[in-house]
Amino acid sequence: EDQVTQSPEALRLQEGESSSLNCSYTVSGLRGLFWYRQDPGKGPEFLFTLYSAGEEKEKERLKATLTKKESFLHITAPKPEDSATYLCAAHGNNNAGNMLTFGGGTRLMVKP
Amino acid sequence: EAQVTQNPRYLITVTGKKLTVTCSQNMNHEYMSWYRQDPGLGLRQIYYSMNVEVTDKGDVPEGYKVSRKEKRNFPLILESPSPNQTSLYFCASKRTSGFYEQYFGPGTRLTVT
């Protein structure tokens, strides 16, 4: 069974304090690893797709990387507006109907 | 603006009273799906549709129905809602059935008393 585990569950940072969020996956034949940002009471907002180990993508203060077992979301010099829950999801060969397996999310709080 | 819309955004209803949550996308996406999000359980897929008139069950389909008569619309039907269907519901779409990102709607918060 495919599994996606995110850590930590919650992370408090001071503004400007860089850190990384972890997404560990056990997926048969990874076809895509997705990162989303979700604000309270809103729908997940797409950030990145990674398809193969070694791939990296960047957007403003965020950088996503992928290995054969994990993905990291690096946040450089975060600002309070980066506070949100970050979700990762995997799509593997066994995922019938293109179903994504989601992790539980990391709730990030950035204090000014 | 490219978007997925859902209505209503908030709904409080009673056990057994049939309801429909609408979902519409303006991106000409073939693939659409419904998820529910519950504390501690994360996002779980209810139903999905690869294209018009093609639907199938996701992880947690019990108590739900869907239909896909038009490409842009994918309504979620609860024929006899129960309190355990109280949840936050999201509709999502993506361009084809390939390995692409899904775009989510704003969510519908449903409470069944």
Side-chain angles (χ1 to χ4, degrees):
Chain A
E1 183 182 333
D2 294 346
Q3 283 193 325
V4 176
T5 304
Q6 291 186 247
S7 61
E9 289 187 11
L11 180 63
R12 286 177 177 268
L13 297 174
Q14 286 296 128
E15 184 172 1
E17 180 187 1
S18 301
S19 188
S20 297
L21 313 183
N22 177 266
C23 171
S24 297
Y25 63 90
T26 306
V27 172
S28 177
L30 181 73
R31 306 306 295 267
L33 189 292
F34 305 87
W35 281 98
Y36 288 86
R37 170 192 170 126
Q38 186 175 23
D39 292 298
K42 296 190 176 181
E45 175 189 345
F46 170 71
L47 293 173
F48 304 109
T49 308
L50 301 166
Y51 289 109
S52 57
E55 190 174 359
E56 299 182 351
K57 289 199 176 165
E58 283 187 73
K59 179 181 179 180
E60 296 181 354
R61 295 177 293 281
L62 300 177
K63 178 179 172 181
T65 61
L66 182 66
T67 72
K68 290 188 177 179
K69 295 182 179 180
E70 301 174 293
S71 179
F72 293 93
L73 185 65
H74 307 278
I75 303 178
T76 302
K79 298 182 177 182
E81 53 262 41
D82 293 322
S83 297
T85 295
Y86 290 86
L87 301 170
C88 76
H91 185 173
N93 278 335
N94 289 341
N95 288 31
N98 289 220
M99 191 170 64
L100 293 176
T101 302
F102 277 88
T106 293
R107 189 161 62 96
L108 174 66
M109 293 155 282
V110 182
K111 298 293 186 182
Chain B
E1 180 190 355
Q3 59 183 350
V4 178
T5 57
Q6 296 178 227
N7 282 291
R9 295 290 315 282
Y10 303 91
L11 180 59
I12 300 173
T13 189
V14 296
T15 299
K17 186 176 181 181
K18 181 179 179 180
L19 66 92
T20 299
V21 183
T22 64
C23 172
S24 183
Q25 50 92 7
N26 63 0
M27 296 171 279
N28 201 35
H29 286 170
E30 292 178 355
Y31 181 96
M32 297 185 74
S33 63
W34 276 102
Y35 292 83
R36 62 179 287 175
Q37 187 174 39
D38 302 288
L41 296 176
L43 276 157
R44 295 176 293 168
Q45 192 180 54
I46 303 170
Y47 267 95
Y48 65 93
S49 169
M50 296 279 203
N51 213 325
V52 176
E53 302 289 3
V54 181
T55 64
D56 210 341
K57 297 176 181 178
D59 242 1
V60 288
E62 295 76 21
Y64 304 95
K65 285 177 60 176
V66 292
S67 68
R68 186 95 180 271
K69 299 191 186 315
E70 305 168 280
K71 197 172 187 179
R72 63 183 292 125
N73 296 323
F74 189 44
L76 179 69
I77 303 158
L78 285 72
E79 298 239 330
S80 184
S82 63
N84 65 10
Q85 292 178 297
T86 292
S87 187
L88 182 57
Y89 291 86
F90 292 104
C91 180
S93 72
K94 66 185 173 107
R95 46 179 159 154
T96 73
S97 58
F99 309 110
Y100 304 107
E101 64 276 9
Q102 295 189 30
Y103 292 91
F104 286 80
T108 295
R109 185 167 292 282
L110 172 65
T111 302
V112 184
T113 61

